[in-house]
Amino acid sequence: MARGQQKIQSQQKKRDKLEAAKGGKSSLAVNAAAKSIQCKVCMNTFLCTTKKPELETHASNKHSKKTFEQCFPNFDGAAARATAAAKVATAKDKKGGKK
């Protein structure tokens, strides 16, 4: 009976190793694609879900002599989120994830 249990454990270990080699469950590519908002002064990127108050805080703290419009000239919250959502969906498709 002990050999049967050892065989099951060995099979599970092999399955786990193969799954890890496939790419596992990493979301790095999806997170990178979701960073669609970029400060034009320092080129810092923000996730598409970042709201305007947080971006205003960045502009006032990091670039006190610049205005919000100078840091984020083409910021439109809804458009940025829609563009990023499309990029994320594309990244998931390339990775083999669900739509």
Side-chain angles (χ1 to χ4, degrees):
M1 190 58 97
R3 289 287 189 194
Q5 182 66 25
Q6 186 179 12
K7 180 179 177 184
I8 292 170
Q9 288 175 343
S10 176
Q11 289 172 344
Q12 181 65 37
K13 195 187 249 186
K14 184 176 181 181
R15 222 178 287 126
D16 291 344
K17 191 182 278 188
L18 286 173
E19 187 175 312
K22 277 185 182 177
K25 296 180 174 124
S26 177
S27 60
L28 293 176
V30 175
N31 290 344
K35 291 187 175 186
S36 63
I37 303 171
Q38 186 175 34
C39 176
K40 299 300 177 188
V41 178
C42 65
M43 299 302 175
N44 193 9
T45 56
F46 298 90
L47 289 176
C48 63
T49 57
T50 305
K51 299 199 181 344
K52 189 172 181 176
E54 189 174 337
L55 298 175
E56 288 173 339
T57 303
H58 167 81
S60 64
N61 289 344
K62 300 284 183 179
H63 316 293
S64 58
K65 295 180 182 175
K66 305 274 185 186
T67 64
F68 176 79
E69 289 74 26
Q70 289 173 323
C71 290
F72 304 100
N74 49 2
F75 174 75
D76 178 19
R81 283 189 282 283
T83 303
K87 286 182 182 179
V88 169
T90 304
K92 281 185 179 178
D93 288 343
K94 286 181 182 178
K95 189 177 163 191
K98 295 180 181 178
K99 287 185 180 180

